[in-house]
Amino acid sequence: MNKFDKMLYQKAAEEKITMPEYASQKLEATLAALPPRSEKRSFTVRFTKTLAVPACLLFVLLFVMPNVSTAYAAAMEKVPVLGELIQVVTIRNYWKPNENHEMNISAPNIPDASQGSAEDYINKDVDQMVKGLIRQFYDNLELDGDEGHGSIYVDYNIVTNTERWFTLKLSVHTISGSSSSYYAFRHVDRQTGKCVQLGDIFQNDSFSEILTENIKQQMRLQIQENPKMTYWIDDEEHGFDFPPLSSDHNFYFNEEGNLVIPFDKYEVAPGFMGCPEFVIDREIVLPLLKPEYAGSHS
């Protein structure tokens, strides 16, 4: 473990752990609205390949796990769309097993996705992510028992949904010993029908160093304007200066059409800085983009 790893571990352990306010409010409101729970029942469900309805995946997963007793509410909700745009439905599971452990998951699913399509890939990707988080939750529950604390919150929103471009954002917040927050963005170029990563929208790999240096300049300016702000750059003591952006790094285009580069909690700054995001000036981005992506997000 190098100096930076040790420092990061210590900072995470010392940080005050608080539940995200929006997650707490949403969870309590949902639980209050649920009908009274009937007598506990045991379910044993065999998961087979014959279960072909994607919307059932999360429901089945929750009941194949041993000793699961839940207050369950499922809703299939269409996101408002204009024209023949991508539609998304939601499977929601709300569960509060005891005072110390909570799980609140809103998992998106794109219905009627054809086999091998970008939409099908997103469905499988999200399903795999949710399954991993639920396994993590149950593992922590088994280890902690009634003594520890653990929570998982998953939500999503549609960032962009046009005839050319689709962006889905998943938000994950976990609490188990220390808190963690991260986001996952999934993009579909509807003209090609393919999923798109950051590196795919640029002409060549030079975008990485150019965008990274711009972000570092923004960080330095923020620190200069407010010394309380901290980023892990130019740090000779701990030997950390985050590397150039990878081709699969998270990104999205905001409502103004500007490229935004988000970072997970602890990725480039201490936990109190949250999940920082940086807007890249359009004059820097446009010369680097492939022509077909110059306006595809709008």
Side-chain angles (χ1 to χ4, degrees), residues 150-171:
S151 303
I152 292 180
Y153 305 95
V154 181
D155 203 352
Y156 77 93
N157 66 287
I158 308 302
V159 178
T160 307
N161 192 9
T162 70
E163 294 181 356
R164 174 63 196 274
W165 192 262
F166 173 81
T167 296
L168 173 71
K169 174 185 178 182
L170 293 102
S171 304

Side-chain angles (χ1 to χ4, degrees), residues 106-109 120-133 154 168 170 186:
S106 295
N109 184 277
D120 179 53
Y121 168 81
I122 291 176
N123 284 343
K124 292 178 179 178
D125 186 43
V126 171
D127 181 62
Q128 183 178 11
M129 178 187 297
V130 170
K131 287 179 179 179
L133 290 169
V154 181
L168 173 71
L170 293 102
R186 298 294 180 264

Side-chain angles (χ1 to χ4, degrees), residues 77-146:
E77 300 175 344
K78 287 186 176 180
V79 174
V81 295
L82 301 175
E84 295 297 325
L85 306 185
I86 291 179
Q87 299 183 20
V88 178
V89 298
T90 305
I91 298 175
R92 284 200 175 101
N93 172 74
Y94 304 100
W95 186 44
K96 187 176 181 179
N98 57 47
E99 294 181 354
N100 298 335
H101 297 84
E102 296 176 324
M103 180 168 61
N104 181 358
I105 292 177
S106 295
N109 184 277
I110 302 173
D112 302 323
S114 59
Q115 184 71 24
S117 66
E119 292 84 353
D120 179 53
Y121 168 81
I122 291 176
N123 284 343
K124 292 178 179 178
D125 186 43
V126 171
D127 181 62
Q128 183 178 11
M129 178 187 297
V130 170
K131 287 179 179 179
L133 290 169
I134 295 175
R135 283 195 298 268
Q136 174 187 330
F137 180 84
Y138 278 95
D139 288 344
N140 291 337
L141 182 61
E142 184 176 354
L143 289 173
D144 296 340
D146 295 331

Side-chain angles (χ1 to χ4, degrees), residues 150-214:
S151 303
I152 292 180
Y153 305 95
V154 181
D155 203 352
Y156 77 93
N157 66 287
I158 308 302
V159 178
T160 307
N161 192 9
T162 70
E163 294 181 356
R164 174 63 196 274
W165 192 262
F166 173 81
T167 296
L168 173 71
K169 174 185 178 182
L170 293 102
S171 304
V172 180
H173 304 278
T174 64
I175 300 174
S176 179
S178 63
S179 63
S180 177
S181 298
Y182 60 92
Y183 305 109
F185 292 82
R186 298 294 180 264
H187 313 273
V188 177
D189 177 352
R190 301 192 64 206
Q191 181 169 308
T192 64
K194 296 181 179 180
C195 287
V196 176
Q197 296 184 329
L198 180 63
D200 297 329
I201 68 175
F202 292 102
Q203 299 178 38
N204 53 57
D205 293 340
S206 65
F207 81 90
S208 179
E209 292 189 5
I210 294 174
L211 298 189
T212 302
E213 184 55 37
N214 181 268

Side-chain angles (χ1 to χ4, degrees), residues 18-28 153 173:
T18 58
M19 182 188 305
E21 183 177 356
Y22 89 92
S24 177
Q25 293 174 350
K26 183 175 180 180
L27 180 60
E28 294 303 325
Y153 305 95
H173 304 278

Side-chain angles (χ1 to χ4, degrees), residues 245-265:
L245 298 175
S246 63
S247 61
D248 61 351
H249 191 92
N250 278 332
F251 77 98
Y252 68 93
F253 291 98
N254 62 18
E255 294 181 354
E256 291 74 34
N258 295 314
L259 179 67
V260 182
I261 303 295
F263 291 92
D264 296 337
K265 191 174 182 180

